[in-house]
Amino acid sequence: MPLVARHIRVSGVVQGVGFRPFVWRLAQELKLTGWVRNDAQGVEMAAQGAAPQVAELLQRLRTDAPPLARVDAVQAREAMVEDWAGFSIIDSVQGRAVTAIGPDVAVCADCLNELFDPLDRRSRHAFITCTHCGPRFTVTRALPYDRPQTSMAEFPLCPACGADYRAAADRRFHAETTCCPQCGPTLALRDAQHQTIEGDPIERTLHLLQNGKIVAIKGLGGFHLACDARNPEAVARLRFTKNREDKPFAVMLANVASLAPYAQVSDAERALLESRERPIVLLRAQPGGDAALCGVAPGLLWLGVMLPTTPIHFLLFHEAAGRPAGSAWINDPQAMVLVMTSANPGGEPIVRDRAEARTRLVGIADAYLDHDRDIVARCDDSVLRPLGRGAQFIRRSRGYAPVAIRLPHAGPSGPSRPCVLAFGAHLKNTVCVTRGDEAFLSPHIGDLDNAASCDFLNETVQRLCALLDVKPEIVAHDLHPDDYSTRAALEFADRHGLPTLGVQHHHAHIAAVCAEHGWQGSVLGLALDGVGLGTDGSAWGGELLKVDGAHFERLGHLSPLAMPGGDRCAREPWRMAASVLHELGRNADIVRCFQEPGADTVAAMLQRQFNSPRTSSMGRVFDAAAGLLGVCSYMKYEAQPPVLLEQYATLFIENQGWPAAMAEGWTVSDRGQLNLLPVLASLISASDVNQAAARFHATVVAALTDWVLQASATTGLRTLAWGGGCFINTLLSSGLRQNLEQGGITVLAPVRTSPGDGSIALGQAWIAMNSLETKDVSCTTGQSD
């Protein structure tokens, strides 16, 4: 049979995932000759053999790829038949990167079996890894993904690991992070003064945790602060030193079997917990679970849970279990529960190295379980909340970012599409870089309220552009001129001589959903969140839009409420409750109803319309409801008022079902204003908080349904995209979806991104791409009342 030859290129996430060894094994099986290598564009190969076998290779490159790979394209062209004796993996070549690196994932089962095998040479090696697991994004300095371009470069392979690396049948064949106790990184435990604590670092760390100490533990994307979650004094001290008064902590348990005393878990939730991404998953706490883990998630129905991710985590649980032989113990219930929270002073980026720990964790950590493998990129934990049969991102970061989101075509496609750099929002910031048909949304950066977070934003921009080897052609940003993200975007554009595009916040929310779903053309958009600057200069946050790519029209909005004291209302929900009384003509009742310091001043401010800007924000409506019901007068962590309001409503609904929406609880004006004042007024005299909270949710869902259906009838649009932090409320999102779908509306909701501000950069980038492709690089505008 005559030989045929093909030059083949595979693109996608195909580096650092064992793709070249996979190709080598396929070639051996199919009796093909040739070569394979990494380059900046992905994986390149030449293969020759019998035509049926070459065709099978092309098919199986797509269907049988390694578990961590994502194959976006396989391109093949005819090539000359060469005199090759076998099939080889050859040296990588440099060039302009068009490939991407995969995210960090949890240690795999095969590595765990070796980790706990006393006869294995990697037994108890805290950095055990292979082509199917371990760090990727956080250790990579440049592409192509080869050991010299990672933070493993300073750890030369020992002869035994070198043999594994070169043995085609080995699981570590060309595994760039492979190592062992002889040639890999090492653990060290240091005290608060950063002096080495002698002895086995794992054994000594467990001793400290069991004795109420707080230990900073270096993970994949940074340090965690850990303490014994069953020790109330340790938890309270961590709260005090980290200045985290009531905000819930996440906990780490050895496995799902250990969860029974603390949280309920479904099969879908179990799959999320045990996935290779290992996110924090919000689970329904067991009755009495709050007492068992006193102070961890005070007074809340939900508990944030994660399972071990790194070998270091597993070694700690193994030590606590008494070092049982083998790995069967991994599936048995274990007693230890650890608080595992990001190591940072409140609001700052996660600490990633010893130098930062020395200055930023002083007075917080009693000891540091550190190692000498550098973290190149910070990456905080991802957080998901179960929703129906799926899950919703609260924070998209480790395990998921920066996996590319494929963009729809809206003009030129492929590498020729303009490269956009979007700087995102002020809160829950991420940045986004586009390359061709892909959008790379960064890991979570955080709120830009401190210098460290602002520096992290700039660091992330530089790293993403360098790693992806792109030069932005336009810079997108929020409309708010005072946001650091806006200032940073304008400064970047000025330095590089680039055009800029200001994007309205809520337009970006809807555009992010359209980009994720590949939606083109007109769509209704429902954006519900805290506040974002509108095109009329006022504070928006409850918006019904018509969106068409780079353009939008404001069809309607919530009837505005005054914010006495401006942004202070977000921290003191009773002020928004006072605003409702004023709107009802009951200004004189404010002091009597709210016996708060400054209540008389707030009443006067409202009366005189002084420092009381008006907002259409749905977030402030939920704050007002929480304040009127006495659920939360002062916010101690972000979104606490709506979280508690949802919790009270959930308790009622679980016991008695959804109550009927309040008759005449809302109105919709001829100009599209949705007025929720009637249902808010009903809360003032409510005696049963749970029932009132449930009826409030039912009424808001009914009102939004009515509002959207009226807009659909007027515009003829039957598809709605929604976004904004209010949709993290599962009662709101699930109830509204059910109503709208029954009304014949197709709902597009965030799936691969958060509905909150973490997706704003994606929306900004998609709007900018549309603007460039339609030659309309100008600030988007909309109609407003």
Side-chain angles (χ1 to χ4, degrees):
M1 183 178 293
L3 297 178
V4 299
R6 297 288 184 270
H7 180 270
I8 303 165
R9 178 169 299 289
V10 184
S11 58
V13 180
V14 290
Q15 294 188 14
V17 294
F19 205 89
R20 289 172 299 166
F22 156 70
V23 171
W24 186 92
R25 286 189 287 270
L26 269 183
Q28 305 305 310
E29 178 185 338
L30 298 173
K31 296 180 171 53
L32 302 176
T33 60
W35 51 266
V36 62
R37 67 183 177 189
N38 278 346
D39 67 7
Q41 300 180 64
V43 169
E44 180 187 19
M45 70 192 80
Q48 66 183 30
Q53 278 68 44
V54 172
E56 184 175 348
L57 170 70
L58 292 171
Q59 174 63 29
R60 292 176 66 181
L61 288 174
R62 296 179 180 275
T63 60
D64 296 0
L68 298 185
R70 190 198 76 217
V71 175
D72 292 335
V74 176
Q75 299 172 316
R77 58 178 172 81
E78 290 187 9
M80 295 289 294
V81 173
E82 303 281 353
D83 185 21
W84 288 314
F87 197 92
S88 306
I89 294 179
I90 64 175
D91 290 342
S92 301
V93 294
Q94 305 294 320
R96 185 176 184 275
V98 295
T99 189
I101 191 63
D104 299 73
V105 294
V107 59
C108 70
D110 289 333
C111 283
L112 287 176
N113 287 334
E114 295 173 348
L115 184 67
F116 299 115
D117 180 355
L119 302 180
D120 193 278
R121 68 184 186 85
R122 293 186 176 88
S123 176
R124 293 181 59 78
H125 178 49
F127 307 93
I128 193 168
T129 183
C130 70
T131 55
H132 303 311
C133 68
R136 296 294 188 273
F137 173 70
T138 59
V139 297
T140 302
R141 292 194 168 97
L143 294 175
Y145 176 72
D146 287 316
R147 192 180 185 97
Q149 307 217 81
T150 72
S151 57
M152 291 297 293
E154 59 192 84
F155 302 100
L157 293 170
C158 68
C161 285
D164 293 344
Y165 185 86
R166 293 184 293 272
D170 196 280
R171 196 172 81 256
R172 295 184 174 87
F173 186 39
H174 281 257
E176 307 304 344
T177 53
T178 194
C179 59
C180 74
Q182 299 303 312
C183 63
T186 56
L187 278 179
L189 180 64
R190 297 183 176 91
D191 62 20
Q193 287 71 46
H194 294 270
Q195 300 300 308
T196 300
I197 298 175
E198 299 299 330
D200 182 289
I202 295 294
E203 180 184 357
R204 298 292 293 161
T205 297
L206 179 65
H207 177 76
L208 290 172
L209 292 169
Q210 290 175 333
N211 283 274
K213 301 301 183 182
I214 299 167
V215 181
I217 300 173
K218 193 173 184 180
L220 291 173
F223 281 84
H224 287 99
L225 290 169
C227 72
D228 185 348
R230 300 163 300 167
N231 183 330
E233 290 78 15
V235 174
R237 191 162 67 88
L238 179 56
R239 285 202 175 280
F240 177 76
T241 56
K242 200 181 174 185
N243 192 25
R244 185 165 171 163
E245 189 173 356
D246 279 350
K247 186 177 180 180
F249 286 127
V251 295
M252 178 180 283
L253 294 96
N255 49 43
V256 171
S258 305
L259 268 171
Y262 311 111
Q264 305 165 22
V265 59
S266 67
D267 290 343
E269 292 162 348
R270 177 179 185 136
L272 271 178
L273 286 166
E274 295 179 341
S275 69
R276 65 194 184 205
E277 292 84 3
R278 285 295 200 276
I280 296 171
V281 181
L282 296 189
L283 302 178
R284 183 62 184 269
Q286 292 282 24
D290 191 28
L293 301 176
C294 184
V296 170
L300 295 180
L301 294 178
W302 296 280
L303 179 67
V305 174
M306 63 190 301
L307 300 186
T309 302
T310 70
I312 294 172
H313 299 149
F314 277 100
L315 286 168
L316 283 170
F317 282 98
H318 183 241
E319 190 75 24
R323 294 197 187 187
S327 56
W329 70 273
I330 292 174
N331 297 314
D332 296 333
Q334 304 297 327
M336 186 167 74
V337 185
L338 296 177
V339 166
M340 197 68 73
T341 188
S342 301
N344 55 350
E348 293 187 6
I350 190 169
V351 168
R352 70 172 172 188
D353 58 36
R354 185 181 175 190
E356 288 186 359
R358 277 181 172 273
T359 58
R360 295 175 57 207
L361 298 181
V362 173
I364 301 177
D366 298 311
Y368 303 83
L369 183 57
D370 196 3
H371 58 74
D372 51 358
R373 183 182 70 201
D374 288 344
I375 295 174
V376 177
R378 304 174 209 272
C379 201
D380 222 321
D381 298 316
S382 293
V383 184
L384 289 99
R385 185 176 190 183
L387 179 63
R389 290 169 294 190
Q392 185 173 70
F393 279 103
I394 296 176
R395 183 169 72 200
R396 179 183 184 267
S397 201
R398 179 185 52 76
Y400 301 93
V403 175
I405 295 171
R406 279 281 172 181
L407 297 174
H409 301 296
S413 61
S416 62
R417 296 185 82 172
C419 173
V420 177
L421 169 60
F423 274 72
H426 181 72
L427 301 178
K428 305 177 194 66
N429 180 266
T430 63
V431 298
C432 183
V433 176
T434 69
R435 189 184 64 189
D437 297 335
E438 297 177 307
F440 296 87
L441 198 59
S442 77
H444 172 76
I445 294 171
D447 297 350
L448 303 178
D449 291 329
N450 57 77
S453 294
C454 295
D455 290 343
F456 184 23
L457 165 64
N458 296 327
E459 169 191 312
T460 303
V461 166
Q462 181 179 6
R463 172 171 166 73
L464 268 186
C465 289
L467 191 62
L468 298 172
D469 194 15
V470 296
K471 293 183 178 179
E473 298 170 53
I474 185 172
V475 176
H477 59 83
D478 193 82
L479 288 184
H480 204 302
D482 296 331
D483 286 354
Y484 180 79
S485 58
T486 299
R487 301 200 307 272
L490 296 176
E491 290 170 6
F492 182 96
D494 184 61
R495 287 198 308 272
H496 295 86
L498 298 174
T500 61
L501 181 70
V503 177
Q504 200 281 321
H505 186 91
H506 302 95
H507 184 195
H509 268 308
I510 305 307
V513 182
C514 293
E516 178 185 342
H517 286 273
W519 182 267
Q520 295 175 274
S522 297
V523 65
L524 290 173
L526 183 61
L528 307 176
D529 64 0
V531 294
L533 184 66
T535 55
D536 60 359
S538 67
W540 292 8
E543 311 304 315
L544 187 55
L545 310 176
K546 177 183 177 183
V547 173
D548 190 357
H551 302 281
F552 80 96
E553 177 185 355
R554 193 185 192 198
L555 300 177
H557 56 83
L558 297 188
S559 293
L561 289 172
M563 294 190 294
D567 290 342
R568 190 169 176 179
C569 287
R571 302 186 298 273
E572 300 179 17
W574 72 268
R575 289 173 174 257
M576 288 308 303
S579 179
V580 169
L581 284 182
H582 174 77
E583 203 73 22
L584 293 168
R586 297 178 55 182
N587 188 278
D589 293 336
I590 290 175
V591 174
R592 178 180 58 81
C593 291
F594 303 104
Q595 297 177 4
E596 302 286 350
D600 53 347
T601 301
V602 165
M605 290 168 64
L606 289 165
Q607 191 70 38
R608 295 167 50 201
Q609 300 181 31
F610 172 74
N611 192 22
S612 299
R614 298 180 73 78
T615 180
S616 58
S617 164
M618 178 62 88
R620 299 295 83 83
V621 168
F622 272 82
D623 288 344
L628 289 166
L629 288 174
V631 167
C632 183
S633 295
Y634 293 88
M635 184 184 74
K636 295 179 180 177
Y637 57 87
E638 187 183 10
Q640 184 185 23
V643 165
L644 295 177
L645 196 67
E646 180 186 2
Q647 178 164 302
Y648 284 112
T650 298
L651 290 170
F652 182 87
I653 291 168
E654 287 180 346
N655 289 326
Q656 301 189 44
W658 278 87
M662 176 185 168
E664 301 181 349
W666 72 93
T667 60
V668 180
S669 74
D670 293 340
R671 301 180 68 189
Q673 285 197 24
L674 174 62
N675 189 341
L676 295 172
L677 201 59
V679 68
L680 288 170
S682 73
L683 303 179
I684 298 171
S685 58
S687 57
D688 185 327
V689 173
N690 290 7
Q691 182 182 37
R695 188 173 66 161
F696 171 77
H697 278 80
T699 304
V700 169
V701 166
L704 292 172
T705 302
D706 181 31
W707 198 29
V708 169
L709 291 178
Q710 287 190 40
S712 174
T714 301
T715 62
L717 296 174
R718 306 295 292 172
T719 300
L720 173 85
W722 74 38
C726 292
F727 285 105
I728 292 174
N729 182 317
T730 58
L731 294 180
L732 176 66
S733 53
S734 59
L736 185 57
R737 177 185 285 276
Q738 179 178 324
N739 280 8
L740 291 176
E741 290 180 345
Q742 287 175 353
I745 301 295
T746 298
V747 174
L748 304 179
V751 176
R752 297 184 61 195
T753 62
S754 166
D757 283 2
S759 64
I760 285 289
L762 174 62
Q764 292 172 347
W766 178 232
I767 290 166
M769 291 184 79
N770 276 271
S771 297
L772 284 175
E773 291 167 351
T774 58
K775 309 300 182 185
D776 182 17
V777 185
S778 58
C779 179
T780 55
T781 59
Q783 298 176 357
S784 61
D785 292 8

